Amino acid sequence: MKRQIDMLNGSIADKILRFAIPLALTGILQQLFNAADVMVVGRFASKEAMAAVGSNTPIIGLMVNLFVGISVGANVVIAKFVGQKKEGEISRAVGTAVLLSVLAGAFLALLGQFVAEPILNAMSVPADVLPMALSYLRIYMGAMPFILLYNFESAIFRSRGDTNTPLFCLVGAGILNVVLNIFFVVVLKRSADGVAVATAVSNAVSSIVMLVILCRSKGSLRLERRFLRLDRAVLGEILRIGVPAGVQAMLFSFSNIIVQSAINSLGSDVMAASSAAFNFEIFSYFVINAFGQACTTFIGQNYGAKKLDRCRKVTNRALAVDSACAVVLSVVTVSLSRFILGFFSESESVISLGCVRILYIAPFQLLNVLMEIFSGSLRGYGKSLAPAVISFFGVCAVRIVWVYTVFASDRTFETLLACYPLSWFLTALILTVCHYVFVRRIGKMEK
């Protein structure tokens, strides 16, 4: 109870920080699972193994993000029930969310075994990288029940303002992942398959620990066997909000698969450099995204409690704090890019190309702030379809068109990377207008 945040009363900015910082650290630790994989195989195995792990990132994101988005739906639904003080509905939503995550994870684990090879072939993964990439992907997908369970469990705790419990559970799992990575690659001389097993085991540990905590929790967040079923009404509401959020995340991943295919066509050096840079620059995104998720949860509770003026204040405070963080992180990322990339690879070519990617990504993080805050805000109000549609046209469509037109006529790494800031600008602009129109509309309804 001490870890829960009162989102309905008192100050806002400091509580958003208390919520967002542990959540950002949780996202960073999750990414460190993959970063540790890339770093260990890059330093102790081979450049090809490093490329194999990195080439799987957008594929895994595409398959996982739909259900991670649905977990956002669970977060909004439970937060709304918390604001309305409906304890019985909270318990039913918790049971529904946990069972849904396990069933969805089992489905993805099975599906992944069949689609792994066709997808990697479609992405033009080079022949010298393909066997290792295939092995890594199949093992990783086998761990999907644990990966999705952890994300849904985290959403449950976030709904009442507790972002510390998921963080503490992940710290132990993250340490275990690094130790197992070194054991499998350095001691047992394994390659991409070794780090995949390490990641799978670490995810299993974190999800099981969280499950035990949920079962032993007090109050309505406690997971009880009698509520472990798919409640039709609750499930429908979770899917109504969560599916568009998941589709939005999938669209990002889908467009990144198209971009990754183009990266693969530029050779293993570019593949390795892009993978290393991504695993460094993504840390800034997790901080920015944490404030968007804070917006979703805070607004979900306050909208449920019919505190519309406080909802608007939440969006403004989150936007201000997130923008300040983005500026600082952009400067740090660019300044330390060459130093950090040196931990991933000793190749000067890989390091230089990685620095090029960071210069095209880091300075434009303020656009990501607008996208995350306004998307998160709209989802908190229960309006999840609009951000998904806007992302389809602003991100997915723009990047795909860019790859098959502009990049096709000028096949350079720099030309390809330009699609990122362009798509962010267009999407941020449309989301800003959409959010402004929606807030004005509910303001008129309030009067």
Side-chain angles (χ1 to χ4, degrees), residues 61 73 105 113 115 141 201 304 353 397:
Q113 309 310 308
V115 303
M141 294 304 298
V201 171
L353 287 168

Side-chain angles (χ1 to χ4, degrees), residues 135-320:
S135 177
Y136 181 90
L137 182 56
R138 282 178 169 162
I139 294 171
Y140 196 104
M141 294 304 298
M144 278 298 115
F146 298 111
I147 294 171
L148 293 194
L149 177 60
Y150 175 83
N151 280 282
F152 273 77
E153 290 165 338
S154 298
I156 292 169
F157 281 100
R158 286 200 309 271
S159 66
R160 270 201 158 157
D162 181 3
T163 53
N164 286 305
T165 297
L167 173 61
F168 295 154
C169 291
L170 202 62
V171 167
I175 295 172
L176 176 63
N177 184 67
V178 173
V179 172
L180 291 177
N181 274 337
I182 295 172
F183 173 74
F184 282 115
V185 176
V186 179
V187 178
L188 298 185
K189 305 301 181 183
R190 303 303 303 176
S191 184
D193 58 342
V195 294
V197 172
T199 301
V201 171
S202 301
N203 277 290
V205 169
S206 61
S207 64
I208 291 172
V209 170
M210 287 276 285
L211 186 64
V212 171
I213 294 173
L214 266 181
C215 290
R216 295 182 178 180
S217 295
K218 296 181 180 180
S220 54
L221 285 187
R222 179 186 178 92
L223 177 62
E224 299 182 46
R225 184 177 299 178
R226 63 193 176 103
F227 290 114
L228 197 59
R229 58 187 178 84
L230 296 178
D231 183 276
R232 182 177 298 180
V234 172
L235 178 62
E237 190 67 8
I238 289 175
L239 294 178
R240 184 186 70 80
I241 298 172
V243 170
V247 170
Q248 178 181 348
M250 283 182 66
L251 291 173
F252 276 81
S253 297
F254 179 73
S255 63
N256 286 339
I257 286 179
I258 301 298
V259 175
Q260 183 65 46
S261 298
I263 290 173
N264 294 347
S265 70
L266 296 176
S268 59
D269 275 7
V270 173
M271 290 174 66
S274 184
S275 175
F278 173 82
N279 280 285
F280 175 38
E281 75 202 20
I282 195 65
F283 296 149
S284 297
Y285 168 76
F286 282 120
V287 175
I288 293 169
N289 174 259
F291 288 96
Q293 293 192 51
C295 239
T296 298
T297 306
F298 274 69
I299 290 177
Q301 280 201 23
N302 283 280
Y303 192 55
K306 298 183 179 180
K307 295 187 175 183
L308 298 181
D309 184 61
R310 190 171 174 86
C311 289
R312 289 188 285 269
K313 291 179 180 178
V314 166
T315 302
N316 293 335
R317 302 294 191 279
L319 186 61

Side-chain angles (χ1 to χ4, degrees), residues 331-362:
V331 172
V332 170
T333 301
V334 173
S335 301
L336 298 180
S337 58
R338 178 166 289 273
F339 173 74
I340 298 296
L341 291 171
F343 287 98
F344 288 89
S345 176
E346 295 179 336
S347 168
E348 178 58 31
S349 173
V350 169
I351 294 173
S352 296
L353 287 168
C355 290
V356 169
R357 174 176 171 123
I358 287 174
L359 285 175
Y360 274 81
I361 301 296

